[in-house]
Amino acid sequence: MSHFLATAAEIVGGVALIATGVGAAGSIGLFGAGFAGSSIATTIATIAKVASFAAAALAAGSALTAKRLSSASPDAWAADPNAGMDIVFGEACNSGHIVYRQAYDDKNKYQTEVTHWSIGPVHSIDQLYVDNIARDVVGTVVDMPDKGKFHEARQLGLCPEPSYLTVGPRDPWHWDASCKLSGKAAIITTFEYDSKSSTTFTSIPTCGWRGKGVLCYQPRKDGTYPGGVGAHRSDDETTWEWSDNPYDVGLTWCLGWRQNGKLVAGAGLPIAGIVVADFVEGANVADANGWKVGGTRSTSDDHWDVLKDILQAGGGQPLRLGALLGCVVNAPRVSLATIGRDDLAQGDISIVAMAARRDRINAVAPRYRAELLTNVTATVNGQVRLYTASTWADVSAPPIVVDDYVTADGRQRRKEVQYPLVQCFAGEQPTQVAQLARYDIEDAREFGPITLPLKIRWMGYKPGDVVTVNLPEVGLFHQDVMILSRTLEASTGVVTITARSETAAKHAFALGQTTTPPPAPSLPANAWAFEVPGLAAVEGEIDALSATVATQAEIVAGQGEDISTVDKRTRNYDGQVQLQ
């Protein structure tokens, strides 16, 4: 809808432009000068005004209907009746959304607030932060000597919940057993104002909670999945467990979370529509590299964008394969087969020999979410106390720069990349985001796309597979490539794959196992000068045929031209060889 409105805005805006004279000046000659100088001028002015308002309205509609990902700070405790439900992935800190607030009792002595933290069930809600300072909860009482006391209770979001959230000293008006909030991890807090105390709440503080979020289906723990061991089942959420592995979370996002048979979050795909093996491979790689996902998204966010953010934290990306959804992860791969001349089908070969200069970056400024600790003081009964405040912010890691590439390119080409679901708790090093940034640099320097028409037997290879291409006539000498897409032309049986180069040495460099970056891949500088295998024999036959034709011409016309001297090899721009 937003794209449609944006296009309509451009069209209507063009009408306004013509009517106001910028585009009309050249059109006056079509009508005649006198025609434009009479009542038509008034009409044009009216059209311009109406079209300008319409273009502005359509442009505004385009901006309003465009989907956006939630970007609320985990420290922002706010009430938003139009917000979607939060989903906490992995381990994260989230302030949630206030869904109920009530002041009551004599002189509004108490104020109760109910906060939705995540869809449920979640694994645990562990640590309370009040004004960014970690506080202990004893029973249901939070004792803050510098401010006062309040009461707090939590639920993990079972469906149904056995009872409703309640906390002393008594329930607010209209809050009773009908308010269970089943399926929602939530917290109830009751603040008290004591006019006779010197330490009491005079305003409502900001609260946040750190915990382990939604439960996930893990096929490696499913005994019915090949190689899996355990009780997990994709269609039984009671068997799921918590995970901070990006591919466990990503697979579960594709399946979706359901309550009472209704989809409440995620894409809601059937397990038969997902290439589960891709996610299992990614989960194994993420575990080996220590890659984790953590953070918060909303049920109102775009499903595809959320999946991309989840898999990005694990060095991967989603892939569509016909009616199936899979993914690919950055990891060393073994070539599965070799494509030679005999594998080509009828069609054009297209090769982009090098990544565009603007895309061939050599430095990345990564941004991720980090926990920041600061010291704060408070005066309690005349004594100064020191506290540690914990805040969360999107921060920039030190830029990842590959000096060898900077030298080769002649200057630094840096790009800022956001990793919204990669986070770093206090005391941790941003190793994960540095590895992902190095992978982004390496992937940006792979050349392609490479488009090859192949015979039907190549239908079994899918995106993410690595194969070797040995086509000297187009400059590909035992070049490893990763398949990005695959299509089948039903009428001809031609399988067309689109791929990019794949450099095996980049993985050790990206993971910090070596400090030597691999050479940037590209076609050889003299790729078009190589002889085609077997072409010499064909040329010999053509030379003999040319001589025969010339001889016959001399017999008929008494003279002839030795056409054997004509160059018989010409190359199209896309590198194809043709014989003439």
Side-chain angles (χ1 to χ4, degrees):
M1 176 61 77
S2 61
H3 177 71
F4 168 77
L5 291 176
T7 304
E10 292 178 1
I11 295 173
V12 177
V15 174
L17 187 65
I18 294 173
T20 50
V22 177
S27 303
I28 291 178
L30 298 177
F31 296 104
F35 185 69
S38 59
S39 61
I40 191 64
T42 304
T43 304
I44 290 176
T46 303
I47 293 174
K49 183 177 295 185
V50 173
S52 298
F53 282 123
L58 287 169
S62 171
L64 290 173
T65 57
K67 288 184 177 295
R68 298 178 176 86
L69 288 181
S70 56
S71 58
S73 168
D75 304 325
W77 196 34
D80 185 356
N82 298 316
M85 294 184 292
D86 284 351
I87 313 162
V88 175
F89 300 132
E91 184 175 4
C93 185
N94 186 35
S95 291
H97 294 281
I98 299 172
V99 296
Y100 175 88
R101 174 182 287 170
Q102 181 68 59
Y104 57 101
D105 210 70
D106 185 38
K107 298 182 179 179
N108 288 333
K109 180 178 182 179
Y110 302 108
Q111 179 157 293
T112 293
E113 296 179 349
V114 178
T115 302
H116 169 236
W117 190 72
S118 173
I119 66 164
V122 299
H123 180 273
S124 61
I125 303 175
D126 303 318
Q127 179 62 61
L128 165 68
Y129 293 86
V130 183
D131 287 337
N132 301 321
I133 298 175
R135 300 288 185 174
D136 294 328
V137 182
V138 181
T140 63
V141 177
V142 181
D143 189 0
M144 301 173 59
D146 52 328
K147 291 187 176 180
K149 295 180 180 180
F150 70 93
H151 300 267
E152 185 242 51
R154 309 164 186 174
Q155 69 178 34
L156 299 182
L158 300 178
C159 188
E161 281 286 349
S163 62
Y164 73 106
L165 274 173
T166 182
V167 70
R170 67 180 183 84
D171 290 339
W173 301 318
H174 308 301
W175 187 259
D176 52 33
S178 64
C179 307
K180 286 186 177 180
L181 294 178
S182 292
K184 295 180 174 62
I187 303 99
I188 186 170
T189 51
T190 297
F191 299 90
E192 178 181 354
Y193 173 69
D194 186 357
S195 60
K196 298 180 180 179
S197 174
S198 59
T199 55
T200 187
F201 288 103
T202 57
S203 62
I204 301 299
T206 297
C207 295
W209 294 264
R210 173 175 168 175
K212 295 180 178 179
V214 290
L215 310 182
C216 300
Y217 169 62
Q218 303 170 51
R220 295 176 296 172
K221 296 183 178 181
D222 184 349
T224 64
Y225 178 80
V229 178
H232 277 231
R233 300 294 183 267
S234 63
D235 57 352
D236 186 357
E237 293 189 32
T238 63
T239 65
W240 296 1
E241 299 176 81
W242 174 83
S243 176
D244 59 358
N245 185 298
Y247 295 88
D248 290 339
V249 175
L251 173 59
T252 311
W253 175 261
C254 295
L255 292 172
W257 290 268
R258 289 175 170 82
Q259 296 171 3
N260 295 324
K262 303 294 184 181
L263 182 69
V264 295
L269 298 179
I271 191 70
I274 304 171
V275 186
V276 179
D278 288 356
F279 289 89
V280 171
E281 179 193 9
N284 290 330
V285 172
D287 281 348
N289 294 336
W291 290 339
K292 300 178 180 180
V293 65
T296 304
R297 281 291 176 260
S298 172
T299 54
S300 61
D301 290 338
D302 181 79
H303 292 161
W304 183 256
D305 289 339
V306 173
L307 181 59
K308 288 196 297 184
D309 285 348
I310 293 172
L311 297 185
Q312 180 199 41
Q317 57 182 324
L319 290 176
R320 295 186 179 97
L321 180 59
L324 300 178
L325 177 62
C327 65
V328 62
V329 60
N330 263 316
R333 298 178 183 274
V334 176
S335 175
L336 301 179
T338 298
I339 298 174
R341 296 184 67 196
D342 292 339
D343 299 300
L344 295 177
Q346 184 68 30
D348 293 335
I349 297 174
S350 174
I351 301 175
V352 177
M354 182 176 289
R357 182 182 296 273
R358 65 178 177 273
D359 299 327
R360 201 167 62 249
I361 58 176
N362 49 45
V364 163
R367 291 185 62 82
Y368 66 103
R369 182 152 288 187
E371 182 184 25
L372 308 176
L373 301 181
T374 56
N375 292 327
V376 296
T377 58
T379 302
V380 181
N381 297 325
Q383 296 182 346
V384 177
R385 295 192 179 185
L386 180 66
Y387 297 95
T388 300
S390 172
T391 57
W392 287 85
D394 289 334
V395 300
S396 294
I400 305 299
V401 182
V402 182
D403 294 331
D404 289 5
Y405 295 160
V406 174
T407 302
D409 295 339
R411 66 180 180 87
Q412 187 179 115
R413 287 197 291 269
R414 181 186 299 187
K415 179 181 179 181
E416 183 178 271
V417 180
Q418 183 80 29
Y419 302 91
L421 292 180
V422 177
Q423 59 183 10
C424 195
F425 290 101
E428 298 178 348
Q429 295 298 318
T431 303
Q432 178 178 347
V433 75
Q435 293 173 342
L436 297 177
R438 281 197 293 269
Y439 261 123
D440 282 342
I441 294 174
E442 296 300 319
D443 288 344
R445 302 184 76 84
E446 299 283 4
F447 71 87
I450 302 166
T451 303
L452 301 174
L454 303 175
K455 296 177 180 178
I456 189 64
R457 63 176 175 266
W458 288 91
M459 186 61 190
Y461 295 87
K462 60 182 180 61
D465 289 343
V466 171
V467 297
T468 301
V469 180
N470 187 30
L471 297 172
E473 55 266 43
V474 294
L476 296 176
F477 291 84
H478 301 284
Q479 173 67 54
D480 286 347
V481 301
M482 175 181 286
I483 299 175
L484 302 178
S485 67
R486 181 206 67 197
T487 59
L488 171 65
E489 178 57 50
S491 61
T492 61
V494 174
V495 176
T496 301
I497 67 167
T498 302
R500 64 160 172 80
S501 65
E502 176 67 11
T503 305
K506 71 181 181 182
H507 301 286
F509 174 71
L511 296 175
Q513 298 169 354
T514 178
T515 58
T516 304
S522 65
L523 290 182
N526 57 344
W528 312 123
F530 292 105
E531 292 294 329
V532 179
L535 184 60
V538 177
E539 288 181 339
E541 296 177 4
I542 295 175
D543 288 342
L545 178 62
S546 300
T548 302
V549 172
T551 301
Q552 295 297 326
E554 289 175 358
I555 293 174
V556 175
Q559 60 182 357
E561 178 183 1
D562 183 7
I563 65 172
S564 63
T565 61
V566 179
D567 185 12
K568 293 162 288 299
R569 287 173 296 169
T570 61
R571 296 182 184 274
N572 288 343
Y573 181 74
D574 62 3
Q576 283 188 295
V577 176
Q578 292 184 341
L579 299 180
Q580 295 182 343

